[in-house]
Amino acid sequence: MMAQEHEPTPEGYQRHVITAVENHGDSLTIEYSGRVFGGIMFDQLPAGVADSIRPGTEPIIRVHTAD
């Protein structure tokens, strides 16, 4: 398997790899880098996006903090 080249990660964002996905029927919960993110509502996603959210997917994430 060849390593995939990535575009540069935008400033203020981080790359993570999804390690687990839990389907709740109308929403998803994902785990990545020891974190859990839930409440991803299927009806709020563009067509086909929900199918691409699975273990091994590498999203680019911006985390908001109190700062």
Side-chain angles (χ1 to χ4, degrees):
M1 179 191 246
M2 293 180 59
Q4 182 178 357
E5 288 207 23
H6 297 287
E7 294 180 20
T9 304
E11 185 175 336
Y13 289 76
Q14 302 170 346
R15 290 183 183 272
H16 295 275
V17 175
I18 294 175
T19 55
V21 177
E22 188 174 332
N23 185 327
H24 302 284
D26 63 348
S27 66
L28 293 175
T29 299
I30 63 171
E31 292 182 31
Y32 63 93
S33 302
R35 298 179 177 160
V36 176
F37 181 82
I40 302 169
M41 305 301 293
F42 290 127
D43 63 353
Q44 300 294 310
L45 297 173
V49 171
D51 294 333
S52 68
I53 301 173
R54 58 182 174 259
T57 301
E58 186 179 45
I60 298 173
I61 298 171
R62 182 174 65 181
V63 177
H64 296 277
T65 65
D67 296 338

